[in-house]
Amino acid sequence: MKRTGLIFEKSVKGRKAFSLPAPFAEAKNPADYIPAGFLRSSFEFPEISELDIVRHYTNLASKNFSVDGNFYPLGSCTMKYNPKINEQICAYEGFRDVHPLFPCEKVQGYMSLLKKMERLLCSITGMDEFCLHPSAGAHGELLGLMLIRAFHDKNGDGRKKIIVPDSSHGTNPSSAAMAGYRIISIKSDAGGQIDLKELKNALDGEVAALMMTNPNTLGLFEDKILEIAGMVHEKGALLYYDGANLNPLLGLCRPGDMGFDVVHLNLHKTFATPHGGGGPGSGPVGVKKRLEPFLPVPVIRKKGDNLKFDFDCPDSIGMIKAFWGNTGVILKAFAYITALGDEGLKKTGEISVLNANYLRKKLGEHYNIPFNRACMHEFVISVKDLASKGIHAIDIAKALIDRGIHPPTVYFPMIVEESIMVEPTETESKSTLDCFIDEMVQIHKEAGKNPGSLKNAPVNMGVRRLDELRAAKFPDVKWDFKTQNLE
Amino acid sequence: MKRTGLIFEKSVKGRKAFSLPAPFAEAKNPADYIPAGFLRSSFEFPEISELDIVRHYTNLASKNFSVDGNFYPLGSCTMKYNPKINEQICAYEGFRDVHPLFPCEKVQGYMSLLKKMERLLCSITGMDEFCLHPSAGAHGELLGLMLIRAFHDKNGDGRKKIIVPDSSHGTNPSSAAMAGYRIISIKSDAGGQIDLKELKNALDGEVAALMMTNPNTLGLFEDKILEIAGMVHEKGALLYYDGANLNPLLGLCRPGDMGFDVVHLNLHKTFATPHGGGGPGSGPVGVKKRLEPFLPVPVIRKKGDNLKFDFDCPDSIGMIKAFWGNTGVILKAFAYITALGDEGLKKTGEISVLNANYLRKKLGEHYNIPFNRACMHEFVISVKDLASKGIHAIDIAKALIDRGIHPPTVYFPMIVEESIMVEPTETESKSTLDCFIDEMVQIHKEAGKNPGSLKNAPVNMGVRRLDELRAAKFPDVKWDFKTQNLE
Amino acid sequence: MDYIPHGREDIRQMLEALEISSVDDLYPDIPGKIRAGGYGIAGGISEQEVRGTLEKFAGMNASVRTLKSYAGGGAYEHFIPAIIDDICSKPEFYTAYTPYQPEASQGILQSIYEYQSMICELTGTDVSNASLYDGATAAAEAALISVNKYDGGVVAVSSAVNPMYRRVIETYLRSSPCRVEIVEHTEGVTDISRIGKHLSGKLVSFIFQSPNFFGCIEDVKSLSDCIHDKGALSIAVANPLSLGVLEAPGRNGADIVVGEGQPLGIPLCFGGPYLGFIGVKKELMRKLPGRIIGRTLDKDGKEGFVMTLQAREQHIRREKATSNICSNQALMALRAAVYMAYMGKEGMKKVGALNICNSHYLAEQIEKTGKAALKFRKPFFNEFVVEFKKDTAEVLRLFEKEKILPGIQVGEAGRNSLLCCVTETKTKGDMDKYADVVSKL
Amino acid sequence: MDYIPHGREDIRQMLEALEISSVDDLYPDIPGKIRAGGYGIAGGISEQEVRGTLEKFAGMNASVRTLKSYAGGGAYEHFIPAIIDDICSKPEFYTAYTPYQPEASQGILQSIYEYQSMICELTGTDVSNASLYDGATAAAEAALISVNKYDGGVVAVSSAVNPMYRRVIETYLRSSPCRVEIVEHTEGVTDISRIGKHLSGKLVSFIFQSPNFFGCIEDVKSLSDCIHDKGALSIAVANPLSLGVLEAPGRNGADIVVGEGQPLGIPLCFGGPYLGFIGVKKELMRKLPGRIIGRTLDKDGKEGFVMTLQAREQHIRREKATSNICSNQALMALRAAVYMAYMGKEGMKKVGALNICNSHYLAEQIEKTGKAALKFRKPFFNEFVVEFKKDTAEVLRLFEKEKILPGIQVGEAGRNSLLCCVTETKTKGDMDKYADVVSKL
Ligand SMILES: Cc1ncc(COP(=O)(O)O)c(C=O)c1O
Ligand SMILES: Cc1ncc(COP(=O)(O)O)c(C=O)c1O
C-alpha cells in the first residue's frame, strides 16, 4: 500500500472539479450587494479534478477495515451487518429531499413514521413514552439526566449525585457531569456485578439516579436487578438504563419491566444502522409516565386529522438539538424493526447470545476469561497472564489486524486488566467465528513461542504501529494552506 | 492479499440470504399445477448468508484495478472517467423501472430521448440516420455490414469481399466474416497508414466495402481519407467507419464529411459510459441516406402527437436484438453529451490529443516509437529493442501492475512488434501523466540494469504471473457442484 | 461542463514540452475541407442542470411503480435484492474493463468463473461463457454454433418461440448457408409431430423455448429426443428463474441452453442492458462465442483466474473466430451472479414456486369471472394468454382507469387476447383486484 | 425476515459445543418475572414488502422536487454533487466505526484530518475536530468551553441567533453555573451598543450568528472587538457555504466558530443527520469537545494518522472530560470534506456568489411588485424577511396553487412576514415566477 498523500498535496493551481450553473445574464456580482469590508480577503482551498478526487477517496477507502470487509467483534459497539435495503430506502426522494420546516400537513409520511417508531420502541423496552431527538447514545444519556434533574427539581428535590458502577462506559460519568451532577463510582462484586453492599452505602438522599447497563459491560446479566430497582426507588432515586447493550435482550426481557425509569437506546448498535466511521448514530430516550412532562419539544401529537409538532409543553426541558433527531438514521432502524417483527427480534437476541457463548467456550480453552460463565452478547478476556512474555492486549489486537480481523475492544471495561472485549453479534456465521477462533489460538501459541512477532505487528497494513504519544505531544491537527505544509 | 476462496466453498447446508414474501394462505404448491415430469429432480446451489456474500464481493472488488482506483491507459479502449451523475440518473425510477413493452404513449420520455439521441449522434458524426440498437461496437459492425450487404443485394450486386487494413481491430474481419464476407487484408505503408497502391490493387468489383478507423489503431490520422473515399466509391463500394477512435475527432471533424457511408460508435468509449468489467457497451450505427431503408426495426417515428415504434419497414434487415438497444447505456451517453455541449466536446477531443502527444514526447525520449509524429488520442511504443535483454512488452505490463498502474494494451496493433499502445484520455491530469512517465522511465532503466526484476513482476498482487497455457490446455471453467470440487 | 482536469498552467506547460503554441499545431495532416464547425449542440450545462433535464424525461415515463404491470413477453418485473445494486455499484467492478491483465483483475475474473459455474448448474450444461448481449442474440449465436459453414441445411424454430428472438435468428443467419424455417405450434406448444417435416433441407438444429412465448412449458425431453433422432442439435431457450423448479433443459437432452438473464436481478430499464447466457455440452466448448474464464495456477502454484480458450476469439483469430464478440455484458453477469448467490438453493426454488402459484391463482380467478378464459390449457410458469369476451381495447380502457396494465397485446396470440405475466411482485390483493376488474367487463 | 446466517445444523453444532440443548439454557439468571412475551410487532416481512411499506410513507411526504421550496431557517436546499453519494456510500467508510485501531483505519483518519484542515481554513481558526451532532449543539458546546465551572457569569446570545439554537444553548447550560441571557437585535442585526449592558453578571462569552437568523450579515469584526473589550470570548455561528465570499469569522476576531455543516453536501432528510462543526483558536485546543485527528509517525518513521489529545475525552477522563461526545457525525464530515474538495477554491467562491446574487435578484423583483417589502435593509447572504401587505395565510394559499412554498413563518420576524431563502438551486425562471405570484396578491 502506497502513501496516498494528502488531498492538499494533489492540488494544482487552476484545476477544478466543481460544476455550477452560469449566472444568468442580468446577474450582478456579490460586490454590488455586500460592503467590501464583509467580503473575504484571501482564501486558499484545494484545486483538484473530479477524477483525482475520486481516486483519492477510492484509495483511502482501501485502507480501512469495515463490517462489509472484515469481521469486527468490537465489544460494546455491536458491529452487526447493516442491511443494504435500508440504505436504499433512506435515499427515496420522499425521505431524502424533505425540508424539516415543511408544513406538517405536507410531511405526514414522516410524522406518522416517527410516531410509530416511538410506539415500537416503547413496546420493545417496556417504557411509556419515547423521544427520538438525541443524536447518539451519549446525547441520549445527557437528555436522560436532564430529565432526571427536571423531575427532582419539579419535586423541589435538589439531588446532586449520580451513582455509576466502575464497569460503566465513560460516557455515563461524563454525561452526568455535563448535567451538573457529582459522580459516585461503586466497585463491582467478585462476580463482576453491582455490589449490593456498596450500592446500599452509596445510596443516600442526595442520589438522583443510578446509571447502569444490563447486561453490564462484562456481558453479564445483572440478576439482582429487581432488588436493585427496589433499593433505588425506595430512596427516591431513579434508575437509568444505558441501552447500548440491548441487543441480547431483544425478545427476552425489557428494561421497563426491570424497573428502569429512563432508558436510552443506540439505534446504531442494536438496530443495525451503520456506524459511519464514527457516526451518525441515534440515541432515543424512553421514560416512564411520570417523566413524560419533561421531554424535549417538539412532541408529535394528533391535532385534527394530522399529526403535528407541539411546542407547547410547559414543563419541557426545552430543545436538545435543532429539529427532531437524526431522522435518516431513525428511518433505517424503523425499516429494520419492521422487517424483523417479533420473531426476528427474538431470534436476533438469541443468536447474539449463542454466538458470544460459543466464542467464550472455545476461546476459554486457551485464554483466561475472568468471569467465565454464561454471558450475554459479549464477554471479556484478560491477557494479564501473558505479561510475563511481554505481551499485552494491544499486541493481540495488532496481530489480529495483520490477519484481516478488526480487533475487539481493548482496555475496556477498566475493571479487567489487559482486557479484550469480544462482541461477535448475531450476523456472523459459524464459519467466521471458527476462523476467528483459529486465528486467536494461533496468536496465543505465537505469544508463547515467538512473542516478538506479535510486538512487531502489524506489518501488512502500509503503516506500522503509530506513535500516539508523539501525536499528543506535538499536535499536528491540520494542513497549513499558507505554508503549503504540514503544521 | 489472502485467497478469497470460491463462493461455493463458503456454502454451508441450511444457510440462506434470500428474503421472499410468504405464500398467501390459499396458495398451493407447484406440484399442484405442474406435471411431475417437468419438475426439477435435483438442484445444487450456494447456501450462504447475506453478510458472507457481501464480504465475498467486497474482497473480490479489492483485487481489481479500475479507472476509479488506477490510471488505466489501455489503448483502443478510451478508459476515461465515468461521471457519477450519470449513474445516478440511470437509477431514476422513471428510467430504471420501465418495461420495454409499455404502450408507447406511456413512455414518451424515453421515446423522445432516444429520438434526440439519434439526432445528436447524426450531428456529431455527419451521418443522416442513426440506429441505437447494437449492444457493443462489434455488434454495430455486424449490423453495419448487414446493411452494406442489404444495400448491394437490393442493387442486385452480389459483392463478396471486405477490405480491412492489417492494422485493424480483430472485430472488423470477424464481423465481416459473420456477415458472410471474404476478408481481404491490405498492408499499411511505411508511414503506418493505408497504402493507396495496395488499396487500389485490392479494390475490384467484388469489394462490398472498405472498413477502416480514422485515426487508425496507431493513433495516426489517415490524411488521404478523401482520396480513399473517392477510390472506394468510384468502384461502387462503400466506406465503413469503425468509430471506436472517435474521441480525438470530437469537435474537429466528422466521418460523414470524410465520405464514410456507415459508422458505428462505441458509446462506452468516447461517451464515457463505464465499461463494467467487460460490458455492457452500446454501439449505435449511423448511415447515409441511401442506406436508411435497411435499418433494423423498429424505428422511432412521429405518429399523431406521439413518437411510436414503427415495425413497418419493408426493406429492413429485421431485428438484431430483442427490444431497442442498451437503453441504460444510451441514457448515460445522452447525459454526457448534454452536459458537454459543443464546447465541452471540442475540448474533450483536443485534450485527449494533447495528453497523448505529451506522453509520446516524454516517453519517446526513452522508448522507441516507430511512427513518432503528431498523433491523435493514442500512440504505439515498440520494445523490440529490449528483446536482447529478454524483456518483452508483457514484462513492462506486469511491472506497471506492481506500480499501481493498469498496463496499456500490448501486442496490438499486430503490425508493430512488441507493441505497447498508450491511450491516456482527456480526463487524466498532468500529475497522473507525469507519474506514469516517471514509472515508465524507471522501468526502462530497470530493463537495462536488472531485467530479472521485470520478468519476475508482478509481486504485489496476491497472485504472480498466471499460466495461461495451462488454462487453455486443461480447461477448468466451472465448479462442480456434485463433487464439490474444482473440475 | 467537461471532465477535463487541466488548469491553464497545465496546458501551458504541456504545450511548452511539445514546443508548440496551441493544440491546433498537432493537426497538420487534417484536410481543411473536413474540419468541422460546431455541431449546434447547445449546452455546456452544469451537473445540477443535467439532473433537471433528465428528471424531466424520466417524469414522462410510466414505471412499474406508477403503473401496476402484468407485462412480460421477454422482460420481467422481479424483486431485485438491495445487495445487487450495492455490490455492482462498486467502482472496482463497474469502472474496470475486460480483464486482459489477469493479475490486476482477479476480482472480476473470479466473479465470472462463479457466474459460469452457476449458469451451468442451473441449465444442466457443462460450459458457459462470460455473457452475450441478450437472450435473442444468444439464441442466434447458438444457431450459428450448429451451422457448418460448408454444408447448409435448415435451422428450424418453433413458432412458440418469442417472435423477436425468431427475427433476430433470421437476421443473424441470413448470410449463412442455412435457412431458417418455422415449425408451427399446436395449442400453445411445439408440435413434435412436425419436427423435421416439410423442411427444405437437412435439419441441423431445432430451437424451442420453455416456458415458451405463451408461457407454456414444453416437453423438453421428448423434443430433444426427437431432434436427436434427426441428427440435429437441440437448442433450448429457457427462463433462468424457472430452473429452480423446472427441470434443467440440459438434463433433458438440450445440447445448448440459452436465454435472457434479465430476470436474475437486472432492472427493466426499457429493454437493456440485459444479459444473454449460454451453456453447452462439453463437445461444443471450442465452438462457444465470447469470453470464457478459466482457473489456472500462477508461477508459485497458487490458484488464479484468466480468460481462456482465446484461440476462438476475434482478437486472436480475426475472421476465423467463432464470433465477433468483444465487449459483452459482464456487469450484468455480475448482477446475475450476486442474484443467484443471494437466492441460493432454497431461494431459487421458492421464487420459482411463487411465480407458478401466483400466476395460476390469477388465472383461476380470471376464469371464475366467466368474462375471460385461458387460451391454451397447458402447464405454464408465470405467463399465460387470456382471451377476453370483450374487445381488447375496451379491456385496456377499463384497466387503465385503475392504473393497471393487464398484459401485452401480441399478434401471435390472436384477437381479444393478452399475454399476462404474474411474478412474485404481485400480492393476493393485487390479483384479486385484477379479477375484480375483469368481472366488471 | 432476519439477518441471521445460521442454518439448523450450525445451531446444533454450536449448542453441542456448549453442551446445552437450547439457547434458553444460557439464561439461568434472568428472573422469570421479567421474561418478556412478544412485543406485538407484526412482521417478519420480506425485503420486497419492507420496500413497499416504506415507499408508502415516503409517498406521503412533499419533497423539494414536488414542492418548489424557499424554506431555510437552519436547513438548506443546495446542489449535492453526485460524487458525494458515490464516495460516501463506499462500505469501507460507512460500515466502519470510530477509528480506535489506527492501523486499520487510515482511510477514515486521513479523511477527517483533511476535513479538519478545510474547516480551519474556511472559518479562519486553528483547530477543529472530527464533528459534533449539529449546528445547535455545536453552539452549546462552544458556550460550555467559555464557561468556567467555578465562576459563573453570563453567556449572552444575540436575539438574531436561530431560536432553536438559542433554546439548545439554554437547555445545555441550565445546570452550569452560568446564566444565558438574550441581547435584542436592532433592525435585524445584533445591537453592539447593548453588549455587556443590563446583564446579571460578568460576560463570559457572546454568541452571535452571521449570516444571522434573518439572513443579515453581522459586523463580526466590530462585534468581536467589543466582546473582547469586555474580556469575553467571541463565539460566531456561521454558514460555511458563505465563507468562500464572506470573511472568515476567525480572521475577524471570533475565538470560536461553529455552525451547521448541512449546506456542504448533506441532504435535507427532514432535519438530520447533519453536521456540527467547530473551529477554535490554538489556546482553546485542549478544551475542545469530541474526537480530534492528528498526524504522527509510525515505527518506521512513516506518516500516519491517529485520534489524539484523547485526554480530553470521556473514555479516558470520564467525568472530567471536556464533553461526553463518543459517536459523532463522522460520515457527514466525510460528505462535507468531499464537498469542499469538489468545490475547491473557485467553486466555494462561485457557489457563494450565486446564493448572494440569486437571493438579491428575487428580493429586488419582489419589491418591484409593490405588494411586499424587505423587513430589514441590511446586507444578506441567501435569506431575507419579506413583509407582505396581505395576510400570510392568503399569501401561502396563493403560492400553494403553484406548488411553491414561498418561505417559512417565523414568529421572530413578526406578522405577515416570511423568511425566504434562495440558493443556487433556483433559476431566473423560478424567481420570476415567484415575483409573478406576489404581483397577483
Ligand atoms: C455501553 C455504552 N454506553 C454508551 C455509549 C455511547 O453511545 P454513543 O457512542 O452513541 O454516544 C456506548 C458507545 O460506545 C456504549 O458502548
Ligand atoms: C478499434 C476498435 N474497434 C472495435 C471494437 C469493438 O468494440 P466492442 O468491444 O464494443 O465490441 C473495439 C473495442 O475494443 C476497438 O478498439
Side-chain angles (χ1 to χ4, degrees), chain A residues 75-78 135-141 167-172 175 213 215-217 240 242-245 264-269 275 278 280-283 377-378 412 421 423, chain D residues 97-98 100 133 291 314 324-328:
Chain A
S76 202
C77 293
T78 317
S135 305
H139 203 203
E141 293 174 16
S167 64
S168 72
H169 194 261
T171 50
N172 294 10
S175 300
T213 182
N216 63 27
T217 57
Y240 182 98
D242 175 342
N245 293 332
H264 88 261
L265 300 178
N266 279 19
L267 299 188
H268 48 302
K269 296 181 178 176
H275 287 70
S282 175
H377 62 303
E378 66 191 357
F412 175 77
M421 184 190 208
E423 181 182 13
Chain D
Y97 199 17
T98 306
Y100 294 115
Y133 302 140
R291 317 279 185 198
Q314 47 76 26
N324 67 338
I325 288 241
C326 178
S327 291
N328 52 27

Side-chain angles (χ1 to χ4, degrees), chain A residues 26 40-41 92 96-99 106 110 168 174 251-252 276-278 317 319 355 398 462 464 467 476 479, chain D residues 6 36 39 62 64-65 75 94 96 101 103 113 171 174 243 245 247 269-270 296 298 302 318 328 400 428:
Chain A
E26 305 87 325
R40 183 131 197 171
S41 46
Y92 291 167
R96 181 187 161 107
D97 298 332
V98 181
H99 194 285
K106 296 214 176 298
Y110 256 128
S168 72
S174 152
L252 181 65
I317 58 150
M319 292 187 87
N355 275 3
K398 303 305 181 195
R464 307 283 304 282
D467 188 345
D476 167 359
W479 164 266
Chain D
H6 302 38
Y39 302 136
V64 294
R65 284 164 213 294
Y94 82 83
Q101 295 290 341
E103 299 85 0
Y113 178 91
T171 310
R174 188 153 308 137
L243 297 180
V245 179
E247 185 56 286
C269 207
F270 203 52
T296 187
D298 78 356
K302 214 169 146 193
R318 300 176 71 86
N328 52 27
E400 165 102 57
K428 180 167 178 300

